Amino acid sequence: MSVKTISLDFSTRGNADIIDITDQVTASIGETGLENGIVTVFCPSSTSGITTIEHENGCFSDLRRLFDEIIDPRREYAHNARWGDGNGHSHVRAALLGASLTVPFVSGRLTLGTWQQIIYIDFDTHPRRRQLVVQVIGE
Ligand code: ZN
């Protein structure tokens, strides 16, 4: 068994920008040369998160609407009152979504469903450079 760690770098537009990272995660597994195991994608960030969804604009729109409904940026946030950075909703959204995802892979292929992709969502209020940790454990 071996453990390999790779980083993914990219830019986002912020404000619930959704980025499909499935191809990059698959490529990361390819780089390791490992055939079977698990891959964990982790975002070292308190204003973004990772999940899976069908890569389809309707799904993206529905997911963004859900976050607008349940964690409305126009509400008052204690974080904003304390720090004045205006991204209290970004932190709460990120906490709810979660910072990592683990997916098994078999024969070098992710075991995702046919319509299931890995997406990264940046909830912060402005464009950012992001770096994700991809750790592959396998043989
Ligand atoms: Zn903040």
Side-chain angles (χ1 to χ4, degrees), residues 47 79-80 83 85-88 91:
T47 52
H79 175 78
N80 294 345
W83 297 101
D85 60 357
N87 68 356
H91 291 293

Side-chain angles (χ1 to χ4, degrees), residues 111-129:
T111 57
L112 294 169
T114 307
W115 306 109
Q116 183 183 28
Q117 278 85 38
I118 303 170
I119 57 165
Y120 173 78
I121 310 180
D122 194 336
F123 294 114
D124 215 339
T125 54
H126 55 278
R128 297 201 53 160
R129 280 296 295 174

Side-chain angles (χ1 to χ4, degrees), residues 2-138:
S2 111
V3 180
K4 308 218 170 164
T5 307
I6 292 163
S7 75
L8 296 183
D9 296 79
F10 50 88
S11 298
T12 80
R13 290 170 296 174
N15 294 302
D17 190 13
I18 297 177
I19 296 171
D20 184 343
I21 58 170
T22 311
D23 289 346
Q24 289 101 311
V25 175
T26 299
S28 298
I29 293 169
E31 275 179 44
T32 68
L34 300 173
E35 285 292 310
N36 299 291
I38 53 173
V39 57
T40 298
V41 185
F42 175 72
C43 52
S45 145
S46 64
T47 52
S48 62
I50 297 176
T51 188
T52 66
I53 198 168
E54 179 174 344
H55 185 159
E56 181 274 309
N57 284 340
C59 285
F60 287 3
S61 169
D62 293 338
L63 187 60
R64 287 195 187 97
R65 189 188 63 197
L66 175 74
F67 278 110
D68 284 342
E69 287 170 357
I70 64 175
I71 308 171
D72 187 337
R74 293 167 299 184
R75 282 190 201 150
E76 287 190 13
Y77 292 87
H79 175 78
N80 294 345
R82 179 149 192 223
W83 297 101
D85 60 357
N87 68 356
H89 67 288
S90 314
H91 291 293
V92 177
R93 289 175 177 200
L96 190 67
L97 189 62
S100 74
L101 181 78
T102 297
V103 182
F105 62 95
V106 177
S107 301
R109 297 180 59 150
L110 292 166
T111 57
L112 294 169
T114 307
W115 306 109
Q116 183 183 28
Q117 278 85 38
I118 303 170
I119 57 165
Y120 173 78
I121 310 180
D122 194 336
F123 294 114
D124 215 339
T125 54
H126 55 278
R128 297 201 53 160
R129 280 296 295 174
R130 295 295 199 179
Q131 191 168 63
L132 303 185
V133 178
V134 178
Q135 189 161 71
V136 187
I137 302 173

